[in-house]
Amino acid sequence: MHVLVVHAMIILLTYGPPKGGETEYQDLLDTWFPAEGQPPSAFLMDTSEEALLLPDWLKLRMIRSHVTRLVDTALQDIEANQLLLFVQSFGIPVASMGRSLLRLAP
């Protein structure tokens, strides 16, 4: 599967569940961001290196989402200076800000 297709699916997840399609939404969310365990990983076919499924711009989109599982996943590998740059440049919702401050607290 092409990495852009994966990015498109994750972008669709950031909008939240559609009316009448909650089960399909939940299935897709569980596939890419399981409640327990690690999210799936991918490897490049040419070099067998691990592909970057969540670039910084997609993490920002996930942080701005109202889906808590996406926010938590995006905050796992983000550094404090990166988060500060996101907030200064784009702003994030209050709920995501609270979760990010809890994540960065020692």
Side-chain angles (χ1 to χ4, degrees):
M1 183 180 301
H2 199 278
V3 71
L4 295 179
V5 175
V6 175
H7 291 172
M9 284 189 262
I10 295 172
I11 288 170
L12 287 175
L13 287 172
T14 63
Y15 289 110
K19 295 177 183 171
E22 289 86 8
T23 57
E24 292 86 2
Y25 178 85
Q26 193 62 40
D27 290 342
L28 190 61
L29 185 65
D30 289 338
T31 299
W32 290 108
F33 304 101
E36 296 180 15
Q38 294 292 329
S41 59
F43 295 91
L44 300 173
M45 292 178 58
D46 299 341
T47 61
S48 299
E49 294 178 19
E50 190 168 358
L52 180 64
L53 291 179
L54 298 176
D56 291 342
W57 66 268
L58 191 55
K59 286 181 186 178
L60 172 63
R61 178 99 183 203
M62 291 167 60
I63 289 172
R64 297 188 58 145
S65 174
H66 295 288
V67 181
T68 57
R69 199 181 310 176
L70 294 178
V71 174
D72 291 341
T73 302
L75 289 173
Q76 282 180 356
D77 298 328
I78 201 164
E79 297 177 10
N81 60 350
Q82 214 174 6
L83 183 62
L84 182 61
L85 180 64
F86 284 168
V87 172
Q88 287 177 337
S89 301
F90 306 104
I92 59 175
V94 174
S96 296
M97 178 60 82
R99 295 182 87 72
S100 62
L101 290 175
L102 288 173
R103 184 85 174 150
L104 295 175

